[in-house]
Amino acid sequence: MNSIIDVSTPEQHAQQLLENTREQAKDLFLEHGALWLKNAIPPSFIHELAQAYQQKYTEQPLKKLKKKHAVVGDQRFMISIKLEPPFNDPCLYANSLLLPLVQSILGNQCVISSFGSVLSFPGAQHQPIHFDHPPLFESPEACAKAPPYALTVVIPLVDITHETGSTAIWEGSHRRATARQELQALSEDPQWPQASTPLPRRGDAYLMDYRVIHGGMANDANYARPILYLVYSRPWFQDTFNFNDQKPVRFASGERKKIPKKFRHLFANH
Ligand SMILES: O=C(O)CCC(=O)C(=O)O
């Protein structure tokens, strides 16, 4: 992976990136369309989220998961997270270390487009390689030149290893006018070893431009691999491609009013 930032110990304690680090992180993200941020979130918080996720989602009968959630590959599900404790927490959706970086990329008016997870079960095969959304404009040059309009922050709930499978990312593809042909070629003849593969530990996060070519890799471990994702976008973007059936953000009853006033703008589209 070409695009990595190791969050320093003082930055971890302050839960804030220094301005220099944030600028460096932004530049790396803009160039590569992806960024692996090591040690961004306290592992104790991830541990709490992982335990809740296991009970609420991983342990559900497969039949129920298939009925209620989107199947996004072999034994791989896209599950919208119900906003309730411990997931309804600003440390997650308005993280003081991550949100300023996201805002520096998407502008201060950016909003949460969707909040969910991808759960791959043991034995899951490689996912089809894809863009997260069809190109916004007909012109490939216009798409490649445009600034980012949406990005995904991925927060793994287990350590990601070669066995659990990572997300393979074709770094820089978001800026190539040839990205559509590249994706077509990869769909016909997947070249997984060419891709960059972050191997985040619990507490790390990785970011992907919505235009970057990527795909979830096979889970060869004997346990499930859940990753949380928060998609942030410019306020005018509506993801009707991924969410025609499933709600992009789900509030449990009474939970919306727990969002602190200063963060309500993040949920303006829901
Ligand atoms: O499972 C993964 O690593 C990535 C999933 C993904 O990219 C998707 O479902 O769109």
Side-chain angles (χ1 to χ4, degrees):
M1 183 114 183
N2 292 309
S3 183
I4 303 177
I5 290 281
D6 209 336
V7 177
S8 69
T9 310
E11 287 170 312
Q12 286 171 43
H13 288 157
Q15 271 296 283
Q16 261 178 356
L17 293 177
L18 293 170
E19 207 176 313
N20 266 351
T21 317
R22 194 165 65 234
E23 278 302 307
Q24 199 191 344
K26 176 186 170 183
D27 290 347
L28 282 170
F29 180 82
L30 293 177
E31 181 178 352
H32 299 286
L35 175 70
W36 172 9
L37 266 171
K38 294 187 179 176
N39 303 306
I41 302 171
S44 53
F45 182 43
I46 300 296
H47 181 71
E48 187 189 350
L49 296 169
Q51 282 193 324
Y53 190 92
Q54 166 109 7
Q55 277 175 12
K56 285 176 199 289
Y57 303 105
T58 314
E59 286 173 0
Q60 294 293 318
L62 214 58
K63 228 176 163 181
K64 197 166 163 194
L65 286 176
K66 275 189 183 144
K67 201 166 155 196
K68 284 185 72 175
H69 304 288
V71 179
V72 291
D74 171 55
Q75 297 184 69
R76 193 180 302 261
F77 297 87
M78 186 177 82
I79 300 173
S80 289
I81 293 289
K82 203 171 196 186
L83 269 161
E84 61 190 342
F87 301 102
N88 189 5
D89 191 327
C91 293
L92 199 51
Y93 60 75
N95 182 278
S96 57
L97 192 146
L98 294 167
L99 186 60
L101 171 61
V102 171
Q103 287 172 325
S104 76
I105 297 167
L106 295 174
N108 285 338
Q109 307 308 318
C110 71
V111 293
I112 292 171
S113 175
S114 59
F115 178 26
S117 63
V118 176
L119 176 60
S120 75
F121 282 101
Q125 299 299 302
H126 286 319
Q127 192 183 34
I129 298 168
H130 60 280
F131 297 128
D132 270 331
H133 195 275
L136 283 195
F137 310 107
E138 292 74 16
S139 156
E141 289 76 21
C143 287
K145 276 198 194 123
Y149 65 89
L151 64 84
T152 308
V153 175
V154 178
I155 299 171
L157 297 183
V158 292
D159 291 346
I160 303 288
T161 63
H162 289 297
E163 283 71 41
T164 63
S166 182
T167 310
I169 305 171
W170 277 263
E171 283 179 289
S173 52
H174 67 306
R175 292 198 303 139
R176 291 198 276 273
T178 51
R180 295 173 206 183
Q181 291 94 308
E182 202 178 329
L183 177 58
Q184 179 69 33
L186 286 166
S187 303
E188 287 162 15
D189 183 17
Q191 299 289 331
W192 295 93
Q194 284 177 358
S196 302
T197 47
L199 291 175
R201 298 180 66 78
R202 274 190 288 187
D204 295 0
Y206 53 102
L207 278 61
M208 294 188 293
D209 190 297
Y210 232 39
R211 296 167 295 181
V212 86
I213 298 175
H214 67 282
M217 301 182 82
N219 184 352
D220 294 328
N222 58 4
Y223 52 92
R225 187 218 64 168
I227 54 177
L228 296 182
Y229 69 79
L230 278 145
V231 176
Y232 295 88
S233 73
R234 294 185 188 267
W236 43 262
F237 174 67
Q238 293 277 353
D239 190 348
T240 48
F241 176 73
N242 291 299
F243 298 97
N244 45 24
D245 226 13
Q246 196 167 355
K247 276 193 170 171
V249 172
R250 288 198 301 150
F251 279 100
S253 156
E255 290 290 317
R256 182 186 282 274
K257 60 176 185 281
K258 292 189 190 165
I259 306 286
K261 261 197 182 131
K262 63 178 176 178
F263 296 132
R264 292 211 182 131
H265 63 99
L266 290 171
F267 295 91
N269 288 355
H270 305 283

